[in-house]
PDB file of all heavy atoms in Angstrom:
ATOM      1  N   ILE A  59     -73.727 -27.171  35.002  1.00 97.00           N
ATOM      2  CA  ILE A  59     -75.111 -26.687  34.751  1.00 97.00           C
ATOM      3  C   ILE A  59     -75.868 -27.925  34.248  1.00 97.00           C
ATOM      4  O   ILE A  59     -75.541 -28.500  33.184  1.00 97.00           O
ATOM      5  CB  ILE A  59     -75.058 -25.639  33.649  1.00 97.00           C
ATOM      6  CG1 ILE A  59     -74.026 -24.554  33.916  1.00 97.00           C
ATOM      7  CG2 ILE A  59     -76.547 -24.979  33.657  1.00 97.00           C
ATOM      8  CD1 ILE A  59     -74.096 -23.868  35.299  1.00 97.00           C
ATOM      9  N   SER A  60     -76.873 -28.356  35.031  1.00 96.00           N
ATOM     10  CA  SER A  60     -77.609 -29.553  34.756  1.00 96.00           C
ATOM     11  C   SER A  60     -79.145 -29.260  34.567  1.00 96.00           C
ATOM     12  O   SER A  60     -79.624 -28.188  35.097  1.00 96.00           O
ATOM     13  CB  SER A  60     -77.369 -30.671  35.798  1.00 96.00           C
ATOM     14  OG  SER A  60     -77.730 -30.251  37.029  1.00 96.00           O
ATOM     15  N   LEU A  61     -79.875 -30.083  33.874  1.00 95.00           N
ATOM     16  CA  LEU A  61     -81.242 -29.849  33.697  1.00 95.00           C
ATOM     17  C   LEU A  61     -82.004 -30.635  34.624  1.00 95.00           C
ATOM     18  O   LEU A  61     -81.815 -31.849  34.773  1.00 95.00           O
ATOM     19  CB  LEU A  61     -81.585 -30.219  32.303  1.00 95.00           C
ATOM     20  CG  LEU A  61     -82.885 -29.757  31.543  1.00 95.00           C
ATOM     21  CD1 LEU A  61     -82.852 -28.264  31.494  1.00 95.00           C
ATOM     22  CD2 LEU A  61     -83.021 -30.315  30.189  1.00 95.00           C
ATOM     23  N   VAL A  62     -82.887 -29.961  35.434  1.00 95.00           N
ATOM     24  CA  VAL A  62     -83.749 -30.687  36.394  1.00 95.00           C
ATOM     25  C   VAL A  62     -85.208 -30.310  36.082  1.00 95.00           C
ATOM     26  O   VAL A  62     -85.537 -29.238  35.452  1.00 95.00           O
ATOM     27  CB  VAL A  62     -83.510 -30.368  37.903  1.00 95.00           C
ATOM     28  CG1 VAL A  62     -82.060 -30.760  38.266  1.00 95.00           C
ATOM     29  CG2 VAL A  62     -83.598 -28.870  38.129  1.00 95.00           C
ATOM     30  N   TYR A  63     -86.049 -31.320  36.268  1.00 93.00           N
ATOM     31  CA  TYR A  63     -87.533 -31.055  35.931  1.00 93.00           C
ATOM     32  C   TYR A  63     -87.835 -30.752  34.513  1.00 93.00           C
ATOM     33  O   TYR A  63     -88.656 -30.147  34.230  1.00 93.00           O
ATOM     34  CB  TYR A  63     -88.211 -30.099  36.869  1.00 93.00           C
ATOM     35  CG  TYR A  63     -87.921 -30.387  38.382  1.00 93.00           C
ATOM     36  CD1 TYR A  63     -87.349 -29.483  39.187  1.00 93.00           C
ATOM     37  CD2 TYR A  63     -88.280 -31.673  38.927  1.00 93.00           C
ATOM     38  CE1 TYR A  63     -87.095 -29.747  40.550  1.00 93.00           C
ATOM     39  CE2 TYR A  63     -87.975 -31.933  40.191  1.00 93.00           C
ATOM     40  CZ  TYR A  63     -87.432 -30.942  41.025  1.00 93.00           C
ATOM     41  OH  TYR A  63     -87.258 -31.193  42.383  1.00 93.00           O
ATOM     42  N   GLY A  64     -86.906 -31.123  33.683  1.00 91.00           N
ATOM     43  CA  GLY A  64     -87.109 -30.869  32.213  1.00 91.00           C
ATOM     44  C   GLY A  64     -86.767 -29.522  31.735  1.00 91.00           C
ATOM     45  O   GLY A  64     -86.509 -29.465  30.477  1.00 91.00           O
ATOM     46  N   CYS A  65     -86.759 -28.515  32.445  1.00 91.00           N
ATOM     47  CA  CYS A  65     -86.412 -27.161  31.890  1.00 91.00           C
ATOM     48  C   CYS A  65     -85.825 -26.197  32.969  1.00 91.00           C
ATOM     49  O   CYS A  65     -85.611 -25.061  32.702  1.00 91.00           O
ATOM     50  CB  CYS A  65     -87.581 -26.630  31.320  1.00 91.00           C
ATOM     51  SG  CYS A  65     -88.941 -26.323  32.432  1.00 91.00           S
ATOM     52  N   VAL A  66     -85.459 -26.624  34.151  1.00 97.00           N
ATOM     53  CA  VAL A  66     -84.858 -25.727  35.177  1.00 97.00           C
ATOM     54  C   VAL A  66     -83.314 -26.006  35.069  1.00 97.00           C
ATOM     55  O   VAL A  66     -82.824 -27.195  35.175  1.00 97.00           O
ATOM     56  CB  VAL A  66     -85.340 -26.041  36.506  1.00 97.00           C
ATOM     57  CG1 VAL A  66     -84.627 -25.173  37.569  1.00 97.00           C
ATOM     58  CG2 VAL A  66     -86.846 -25.843  36.653  1.00 97.00           C
ATOM     59  N   LEU A  67     -82.577 -24.963  34.779  1.00 98.00           N
ATOM     60  CA  LEU A  67     -81.100 -25.046  34.754  1.00 98.00           C
ATOM     61  C   LEU A  67     -80.631 -24.954  36.202  1.00 98.00           C
ATOM     62  O   LEU A  67     -80.892 -23.968  36.876  1.00 98.00           O
ATOM     63  CB  LEU A  67     -80.476 -23.985  33.850  1.00 98.00           C
ATOM     64  CG  LEU A  67     -80.408 -24.355  32.432  1.00 98.00           C
ATOM     65  CD1 LEU A  67     -81.775 -24.388  31.719  1.00 98.00           C
ATOM     66  CD2 LEU A  67     -79.562 -23.384  31.703  1.00 98.00           C
ATOM     67  N   HIS A  68     -79.932 -25.953  36.723  1.00 98.00           N
ATOM     68  CA  HIS A  68     -79.375 -25.947  38.027  1.00 98.00           C
ATOM     69  C   HIS A  68     -77.893 -25.732  37.964  1.00 98.00           C
ATOM     70  O   HIS A  68     -77.216 -26.612  37.316  1.00 98.00           O
ATOM     71  CB  HIS A  68     -79.692 -27.181  38.851  1.00 98.00           C
ATOM     72  CG  HIS A  68     -79.134 -27.220  40.142  1.00 98.00           C
ATOM     73  ND1 HIS A  68     -78.413 -28.404  40.641  1.00 98.00           N
ATOM     74  CD2 HIS A  68     -78.993 -26.418  41.252  1.00 98.00           C
ATOM     75  CE1 HIS A  68     -77.928 -28.198  41.748  1.00 98.00           C
ATOM     76  NE2 HIS A  68     -78.297 -26.946  42.192  1.00 98.00           N
ATOM     77  N   GLU A  69     -77.359 -24.671  38.553  1.00 98.00           N
ATOM     78  CA  GLU A  69     -75.988 -24.327  38.535  1.00 98.00           C
ATOM     79  C   GLU A  69     -75.277 -24.752  39.880  1.00 98.00           C
ATOM     80  O   GLU A  69     -75.864 -24.407  40.903  1.00 98.00           O
ATOM     81  CB  GLU A  69     -75.703 -22.930  38.297  1.00 98.00           C
ATOM     82  CG  GLU A  69     -74.308 -22.409  38.425  1.00 98.00           C
ATOM     83  CD  GLU A  69     -74.148 -20.956  38.343  1.00 98.00           C
ATOM     84  OE1 GLU A  69     -75.068 -20.150  38.476  1.00 98.00           O
ATOM     85  OE2 GLU A  69     -73.038 -20.506  38.075  1.00 98.00           O
ATOM     86  N   SER A  70     -74.202 -25.446  39.784  1.00 97.00           N
ATOM     87  CA  SER A  70     -73.342 -25.791  40.994  1.00 97.00           C
ATOM     88  C   SER A  70     -71.977 -25.239  40.741  1.00 97.00           C
ATOM     89  O   SER A  70     -71.151 -25.839  39.950  1.00 97.00           O
ATOM     90  CB  SER A  70     -73.271 -27.272  41.291  1.00 97.00           C
ATOM     91  OG  SER A  70     -74.476 -27.807  41.529  1.00 97.00           O
ATOM     92  N   TRP A  71     -71.639 -24.102  41.341  1.00 97.00           N
ATOM     93  CA  TRP A  71     -70.301 -23.372  41.128  1.00 97.00           C
ATOM     94  C   TRP A  71     -69.419 -23.739  42.314  1.00 97.00           C
ATOM     95  O   TRP A  71     -69.767 -23.703  43.470  1.00 97.00           O
ATOM     96  CB  TRP A  71     -70.560 -21.872  41.189  1.00 97.00           C
ATOM     97  CG  TRP A  71     -69.379 -21.033  41.343  1.00 97.00           C
ATOM     98  CD1 TRP A  71     -68.928 -20.349  42.430  1.00 97.00           C
ATOM     99  CD2 TRP A  71     -68.308 -20.812  40.288  1.00 97.00           C
ATOM    100  NE1 TRP A  71     -67.727 -19.713  42.120  1.00 97.00           N
ATOM    101  CE2 TRP A  71     -67.369 -19.936  40.850  1.00 97.00           C
ATOM    102  CE3 TRP A  71     -68.239 -21.154  38.992  1.00 97.00           C
ATOM    103  CZ2 TRP A  71     -66.309 -19.491  40.235  1.00 97.00           C
ATOM    104  CZ3 TRP A  71     -67.109 -20.699  38.239  1.00 97.00           C
ATOM    105  CH2 TRP A  71     -66.162 -19.907  38.900  1.00 97.00           C
ATOM    106  N   LYS A  72     -68.141 -23.970  41.929  1.00 96.00           N
ATOM    107  CA  LYS A  72     -67.077 -24.136  42.895  1.00 96.00           C
ATOM    108  C   LYS A  72     -65.928 -23.295  42.458  1.00 96.00           C
ATOM    109  O   LYS A  72     -65.209 -23.619  41.502  1.00 96.00           O
ATOM    110  CB  LYS A  72     -66.623 -25.632  43.045  1.00 96.00           C
ATOM    111  CG  LYS A  72     -67.740 -26.468  43.619  1.00 96.00           C
ATOM    112  CD  LYS A  72     -67.155 -27.871  43.914  1.00 96.00           C
ATOM    113  CE  LYS A  72     -68.340 -28.843  44.428  1.00 96.00           C
ATOM    114  NZ  LYS A  72     -68.977 -28.524  45.637  1.00 96.00           N
ATOM    115  N   ALA A  73     -65.587 -22.247  43.258  1.00 95.00           N
ATOM    116  CA  ALA A  73     -64.435 -21.459  42.947  1.00 95.00           C
ATOM    117  C   ALA A  73     -63.211 -22.152  43.391  1.00 95.00           C
ATOM    118  O   ALA A  73     -63.264 -23.021  44.328  1.00 95.00           O
ATOM    119  CB  ALA A  73     -64.629 -20.022  43.578  1.00 95.00           C
ATOM    120  N   THR A  74     -62.044 -21.739  42.834  1.00 90.00           N
ATOM    121  CA  THR A  74     -60.737 -22.295  43.351  1.00 90.00           C
ATOM    122  C   THR A  74     -60.470 -21.801  44.737  1.00 90.00           C
ATOM    123  O   THR A  74     -59.675 -22.383  45.484  1.00 90.00           O
ATOM    124  CB  THR A  74     -59.603 -22.012  42.337  1.00 90.00           C
ATOM    125  OG1 THR A  74     -59.542 -20.576  42.131  1.00 90.00           O
ATOM    126  CG2 THR A  74     -59.793 -22.816  41.095  1.00 90.00           C
TER     127      THR A  74
END
Side-chain angles (χ1 to χ4, degrees):
I59 315 301
S60 58
L61 200 58
V62 294
Y63 308 123
C65 60
V66 177
L67 277 69
H68 175 227
E69 172 185 19
S70 294
W71 166 258
K72 293 188 186 292
T74 53

